């Protein structure tokens, strides 16, 4: 019966998403998000930004980190949402320089090498978004249909096809319109579950704030430092956020980033409380917390949490696909700037993302850690150019890029025997912190030396 409620509720969300998609698709709407020739308004941008950033993977990460590391774990993940502030700053600087995208700006500074390296990183980022959110869909249906063999796999296929169908119809304009209704539905459904949580007799805000989780708070504080090191460059490598920074006027865009910050951060902190609360009650960790919650809450609360996750997964899929289409068509010129070209790109990304779910890695934070580390090649360049007004030579950029990619690879391959000789003998998040520090030191050293030589 529980599974029927989840399927029915999620089915209703998909139907509403189809109804909200534009009836007529245009090339400008598909790639630039315009509807009837007009740019989106403030709250359309805000709700679209928020719903694509509090995606299913993020909600689960927040709850899982809260379960293991208490308030420090959830706070660490919420720190990534400072990206709306740093991202707004980056967008403002780019638009002041009359750049129309990050690629446009990097191309002016470093030519084809600059855009090529950046595009490679964000292509992997978009692919990870498709993979991670489909993976959450699979985990949810495996949890609610444990008796059905391959339930998660079938759910992934169905959601991938349905999400692709309405995304490919309208592109970015469809994503913007459906993001609004999906965010409103998310807030309503999750709000009901959250009210139940804080009204329950066992809930204590003091206990939440002081909780150290099931494994102690130390690694949570380590992750907070990692997030603060990554947060300046993190938004610049997220094409979903960057794409939304150039489709409205500057004032609307600036305000949308500010509102998106506080709203998304509150959602992440609130969802993290469900994980922290589970650890406080001494619940055993089972299946990405899903089975844990099933035993903790009434069925209707559990259904509300699952539907919240599914809605956020769907909203991220359409935005990731629309950004993938813009990347491959407008930046890489791998397909014609037409509805058919954009739709073909979406199909390819959905197939690749779906195939990755068969890989078997269900550690959701790994994708964030790896892509966040890879993005750090931009930090020294952004600081040098935007803050100090320095000129950065190509070789400095390439050194920073190489260091960041090597760091991301080191964390991804940390389980290999040869990495044990390189990385410190410490928990994985302390290894991640050491990697981030080294990446930044190398990058800033290269940029500082290069900038001085240019000045001389």
């Amino acid at each position: 019966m529980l599974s029927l409620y989840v399927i029915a509720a999620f089915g209703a969300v998909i139907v509403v998403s189809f109804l909200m998609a534009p009836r007529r698709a245009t090339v400008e709407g598909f790639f630039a998000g315009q509807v009837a020739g007009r740019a989106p308004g403030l709250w359309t941008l805000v709700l679209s930004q928020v719903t694509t950033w509090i995606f299913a993977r993020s909600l689960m990460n927040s709850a899982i980190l809260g379960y293991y590391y208490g308030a420090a774990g959830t706070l660490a993940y919420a720190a990534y949402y400072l990206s709306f502030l740093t991202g707004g700053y980056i967008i403002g600087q780019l638009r002041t320089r009359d750049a129309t995208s990050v690629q446009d700006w990097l191309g002016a500074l470093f030519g084809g090498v600059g855009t090529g390296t950046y595009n490679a990183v964000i292509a992997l980022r978009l692919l990870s978004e498709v993979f991670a959110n489909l993976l959450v869909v699979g985990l949810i249906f495996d949890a609610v249909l444990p008796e059905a063999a391959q339930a998660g796999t079938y759910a992934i296929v169905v959601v991938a096809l349905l999400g692709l169908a309405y995304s490919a119809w309208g592109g970015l304009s469809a994503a913007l319109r459906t993001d609004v209704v999906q965010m409103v539905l998310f807030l309503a459904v999750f709000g009901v579950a959250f009210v139940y949580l804080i009204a329950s007799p066992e809930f204590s805000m003091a206990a939440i704030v002081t909780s150290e989780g099931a494994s102690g708070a130390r690694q949570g504080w380590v992750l907070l430092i990692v997030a603060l090191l990554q947060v300046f460059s993190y938004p610049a490598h997220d094409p979903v956020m960057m794409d939304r920074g150039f489709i409205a006027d500057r004032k609307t865009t600036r305000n949308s980033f500010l509102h998106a910050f506080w709203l998304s951060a509150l959602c992440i902190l609130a969802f993290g409380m469900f994980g922290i609360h589970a650890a406080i009650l001494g619940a055993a960790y089972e299946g990405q917390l899903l089975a844990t919650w099933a035993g903790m809450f009434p069925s209707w609360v559990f259904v509300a949490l699952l539907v919240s996750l599914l809605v956020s997964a769907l909203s991220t899929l359409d935005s990731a696909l629309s950004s993938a289409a813009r990347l491959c068509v407008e930046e890489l010129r791998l397909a014609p700037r037409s509805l058919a070209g954009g739709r073909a790109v979406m199909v390819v990304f959905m197939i690749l993302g779906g195939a990755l779910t068969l890989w078997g890695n269900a550690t959701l934070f790994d994708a964030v850690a790896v892509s966040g580390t890879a993005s750090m090649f931009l930090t020294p360049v952004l600081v040098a150019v935007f803050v100090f007004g320095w000129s950065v030579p190509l070789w400095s950029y390439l050194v920073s890029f190489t260091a960041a990619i090597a760091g991301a690879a080191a964390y991804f391959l940390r389980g290999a025997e040869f990495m044990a000789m390189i990385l410190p003998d410490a928990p994985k998040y302390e290894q991640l912190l050491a990697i981030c520090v080294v990446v930044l030191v190398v990058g800033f050293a290269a940029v500082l030396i290069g900038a001085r030589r240019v000045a001389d």
Side-chain angles (χ1 to χ4, degrees):
M1 184 62 71
L2 178 67
S3 59
L4 290 178
Y5 288 138
V6 173
I7 293 170
F10 188 49
V13 172
I14 291 176
V15 170
V16 172
S17 298
F18 271 101
L19 293 175
M20 286 297 296
R23 300 278 70 80
R24 295 182 60 188
T26 65
V27 172
E28 284 306 309
F30 196 97
F31 293 104
Q34 293 186 355
V35 178
R38 295 192 303 273
L42 173 61
W43 284 101
T44 296
L45 272 182
V46 171
L47 295 178
S48 180
Q49 291 268 41
V50 173
T51 194
T52 51
W53 259 63
I54 57 165
F55 38 80
R57 181 185 71 190
S58 287
L59 295 172
M60 288 305 300
N61 278 334
S62 175
I64 292 168
L65 292 175
Y67 176 88
Y68 279 114
Y69 312 124
T74 291
L75 185 62
Y77 204 80
Y80 278 99
Y81 289 76
L82 290 167
S83 292
F84 280 113
L85 302 183
T86 55
Y89 171 77
I90 291 168
I91 291 291
Q93 291 292 319
L94 292 176
R95 295 184 69 161
T96 298
R97 291 163 171 77
D98 295 324
T100 57
S101 66
V102 178
Q103 291 95 330
D104 186 26
W105 176 69
L106 286 175
L109 290 179
F110 307 115
V113 174
T115 56
T117 50
Y118 175 79
N119 285 335
V121 170
I122 66 170
L124 292 175
R125 162 81 178 179
L126 287 169
L127 196 58
S128 77
E129 293 304 294
V130 176
F131 149 70
N133 284 280
L134 287 177
L135 180 62
V136 172
V137 170
L139 292 172
I140 289 172
F141 280 94
D142 279 336
V144 299
L145 291 169
E147 71 285 353
Q150 302 298 315
T153 301
Y154 291 130
I156 286 171
V157 173
V158 171
V159 171
L161 291 174
L162 292 173
L164 177 63
Y166 82 79
S167 301
W169 174 253
L172 184 54
S173 61
L176 289 169
R177 292 182 62 166
T178 55
D179 283 349
V180 172
V181 67
Q182 288 163 355
M183 186 61 199
V184 171
L185 289 171
F186 169 84
L187 290 174
V189 174
F190 175 61
V192 170
F194 184 70
V195 169
Y196 173 85
L197 174 68
I198 62 177
S200 62
E202 306 90 1
F203 181 83
S204 167
M205 183 58 74
I208 292 288
V209 172
T210 58
S211 170
E212 296 195 348
S215 300
R218 176 181 171 84
Q219 295 304 303
W221 296 121
V222 171
L223 276 178
L224 177 59
I225 299 172
V226 170
L228 294 176
L229 292 177
Q230 293 184 350
V231 76
F232 192 73
S233 62
Y234 198 85
H237 94 301
D238 178 32
V240 173
M241 178 185 284
M242 292 294 103
D243 285 352
R244 283 156 176 74
F246 294 92
I247 58 179
D249 64 83
R250 294 187 186 186
K251 181 179 179 181
T252 299
T253 301
R254 182 173 61 253
N255 290 336
S256 74
F257 276 77
L258 293 174
H259 289 306
F261 162 65
W262 66 262
L263 182 56
S264 59
L266 286 179
C267 289
I268 288 295
L269 291 171
F271 209 92
M273 289 184 190
F274 285 88
I276 298 172
H277 187 64
I280 291 173
L281 296 183
Y285 182 90
E286 298 181 57
Q288 301 288 343
L289 277 184
L290 297 176
T292 304
W293 286 337
M296 285 177 54
F297 299 117
S299 295
W300 66 269
V301 175
F302 184 52
V303 169
L305 289 171
L306 296 187
V307 173
S308 299
L309 288 168
L310 289 169
V311 170
S312 61
L314 189 64
S315 68
T316 303
L317 285 173
D318 60 27
S319 295
L321 292 176
S322 64
S323 289
R326 200 196 75 80
L327 169 67
C328 293
V329 171
E330 296 197 324
E331 299 296 340
L332 299 178
R333 304 187 188 281
L334 297 177
R337 194 175 190 272
S338 64
L339 295 177
R343 289 166 179 167
V345 171
M346 289 184 170
V347 171
V348 171
F349 268 76
M350 187 61 90
I351 291 174
L352 292 175
L356 283 174
T357 62
L358 304 176
W359 169 34
N361 184 1
T363 306
L364 294 175
F365 185 73
D366 275 3
V368 177
V370 171
S371 69
T373 304
S375 76
M376 294 178 76
F377 76 95
L378 289 167
T379 299
V381 179
L382 294 170
V383 171
V385 177
F386 292 163
V387 179
F388 297 106
W390 295 343
S391 294
V392 178
L394 177 59
W395 74 265
S396 297
Y397 172 83
L398 288 175
V399 169
S400 184
F401 176 79
T402 302
I405 297 303
Y411 184 74
F412 182 73
L413 299 171
R414 64 188 181 278
E417 291 185 13
F418 71 91
M419 288 307 302
M421 298 182 291
I422 302 173
L423 296 176
D425 183 15
K428 63 180 181 179
Y429 295 139
E430 292 184 24
Q431 291 178 333
L432 178 60
L433 176 58
I435 290 170
C436 290
V437 170
V438 171
V439 168
L440 287 179
V441 168
V442 172
F444 273 106
V447 166
L448 181 60
I449 295 170
R452 284 184 172 178
R453 288 182 178 176
V454 170
D456 293 339

